[in-house]
């Protein structure tokens, strides 16, 4: 497998979930939670798999950061075959669509987009919650290439496995990609930064912080035993770790 981190940048997220780009000048003065936004492209023998879609951050030239990073690898959005969404918070889905003169269009037009139906139901019951961008979400779910998921666990292909675990959100799902004896694990916002393995805490920002903490302890043990590569969506410095 080839793992390509697609880091949009480091940001500060306010209580109202507004994202401010972190720079050398404002890093120590801006308030909010500091985090990266970092989707991942996994290339297997059969698929180009995108794990979450970022916030669609744009370069100064108006092109999206993710598209620019893909082009540096000689990869184009049309080549992505699967977009796996862990949950529906704005910083994980806004890059899945782009606004054009003709309305919203898929950023990755040939990709099947995998969404947990129960996660959508939870989002729609929480209109006004600033963690969600309902304009983007409502346009995203109108796309023709949505694969609605309802099971608690299973496999998408012989290489891609998922489980609905909750924690950060009630129906957040995590993914394993396995090929040729190698396992990549994506714990999304239950395991967003390496420090979450160092400090065993229940975070108030999670829907069920205790459950997320217990999951991390379980995953840490299995990662060590099975030599997983762990993908970190929100780590300021690291993208992939092995423990």
């Amino acid at each position: 497998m080839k793992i390509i981190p697609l880091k949009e940048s480091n940001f500060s997220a306010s209580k109202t979930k507004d994202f401010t780009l972190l720079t050398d000048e404002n890093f120590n003065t801006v308030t909010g939670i500091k985090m990266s936004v970092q989707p991942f492209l996994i290339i297997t023998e059969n698929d180009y798999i995108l794990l979450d879609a970022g916030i669609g951050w744009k370069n100064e030239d108006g092109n999206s950061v993710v598209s620019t990073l893909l082009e540096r690898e000689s990869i184009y959005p049309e080549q992505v075959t699967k977009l796996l969404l862990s949950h529906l918070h704005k910083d994980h889905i806004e890059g899945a669509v782009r606004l054009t003169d003709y309305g919203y269009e898929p950023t990755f037009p040939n990709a099947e987009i995998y969404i947990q139906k129960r996660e959508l139901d939870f989002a729609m019951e929480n209109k006004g919650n600033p963690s969600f961008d309902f304009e983007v979400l409502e346009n995203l779910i109108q796309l023709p290439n949505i694969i609605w998921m309802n099971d608690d666990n299973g496999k998408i292909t012989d290489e891609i496995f998922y489980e609905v675990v909750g924690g950060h959100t009630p129906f957040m799902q995590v993914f394993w990609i396995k090929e040729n004896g190698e396992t990549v694990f994506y714990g999304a916002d239950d395991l967003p930064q390496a420090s979450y393995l160092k400090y065993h805490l229940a975070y108030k920002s999670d829907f069920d912080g205790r459950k997320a903490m217990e999951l991390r302890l379980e995953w840490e043990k299995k990662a060590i035993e099975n030599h997983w590569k762990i993908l970190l969506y929100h780590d300021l410095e690291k993208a992939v770790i092995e423990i």
Side-chain angles (χ1 to χ4, degrees):
M1 278 184 283
K2 184 173 184 180
I3 303 170
I4 304 175
L6 300 170
K7 184 172 181 176
E8 293 185 285
S9 197
N10 291 332
F11 300 91
S12 175
S14 70
K15 290 183 178 179
T16 55
K17 305 304 178 183
D18 295 312
F19 285 77
T20 300
L21 183 69
L22 289 176
T23 65
D24 292 339
E25 290 73 24
N26 71 6
F27 190 90
N28 293 318
T29 58
V30 69
T31 59
I33 300 173
K34 295 180 174 65
M35 65 179 73
S36 72
V37 176
Q38 184 164 243
F40 292 87
L41 184 72
I42 311 296
I43 303 175
T44 67
E45 292 177 3
N46 299 311
D47 280 299
Y48 284 64
I49 304 159
L50 186 63
L51 292 164
D52 284 332
I55 57 175
W57 198 260
K58 291 181 172 57
N59 295 308
E60 292 180 357
D61 61 8
N63 294 316
S64 80
V65 172
V66 166
S67 294
T68 300
L69 293 173
L70 288 173
E71 287 180 16
R72 289 178 187 172
E73 300 285 340
S74 298
I75 299 168
Y76 297 93
E78 292 78 10
Q79 292 176 258
V80 176
T81 55
K82 290 178 172 61
L83 169 54
L84 313 181
L85 296 179
S86 63
H87 62 297
L88 299 174
H89 284 171
K90 63 171 66 173
D91 53 317
H92 291 255
I93 71 162
E94 287 187 329
V97 294
R98 55 192 181 91
L99 183 59
T100 72
D101 292 339
Y102 306 100
Y104 282 94
E105 295 180 354
T107 305
F108 310 97
N110 297 319
E112 296 175 332
I113 304 174
Y114 290 79
I115 301 175
Q116 265 294 332
K117 180 62 168 60
R118 288 169 290 175
E119 179 72 11
L120 174 65
D121 293 341
F122 171 75
M124 290 306 183
E125 291 168 359
N126 284 272
K127 289 287 185 73
N129 185 326
S131 292
F132 300 101
D133 184 328
F134 288 98
E135 180 179 354
V136 168
L137 181 55
E138 288 166 0
N139 281 276
L140 171 65
I141 63 176
Q142 299 303 316
L143 297 179
N145 48 346
I146 302 291
I147 307 296
W148 292 109
M149 306 168 72
N150 290 289
D151 294 336
D152 290 337
N153 57 70
K155 65 180 185 178
I156 294 170
T157 69
D158 288 339
E159 293 83 29
I160 306 170
F161 300 80
Y162 70 92
E163 183 177 353
V164 178
V165 296
H168 183 64
T169 64
F171 300 102
M172 199 191 77
Q173 57 188 357
V174 299
F175 299 96
W176 293 261
I177 302 172
K178 304 179 181 182
E179 185 180 62
N180 298 327
E182 183 181 18
T183 299
V184 169
F185 174 66
Y186 178 54
D189 282 12
D190 280 348
L191 181 46
Q193 300 182 359
S195 62
Y196 280 53
L197 293 172
K198 183 178 180 180
Y199 304 106
H200 300 303
L201 301 172
Y203 291 93
K204 293 181 179 179
S205 56
D206 291 332
F207 180 81
D208 187 340
R210 179 167 292 278
K211 183 175 185 180
M213 178 183 67
E214 292 170 351
L215 286 166
R216 286 191 290 273
L217 291 169
E218 174 188 335
W219 293 332
E220 182 177 18
K221 183 174 183 293
K222 291 181 178 178
I224 293 170
E225 292 173 350
N226 298 288
H227 307 290
W228 293 354
K229 293 181 178 178
I230 299 173
L231 310 182
L232 302 171
Y233 193 83
H234 286 310
D235 200 287
L236 292 170
E237 298 177 353
K238 300 173 182 177
V240 184
I241 59 170
E242 294 185 65
I243 55 176

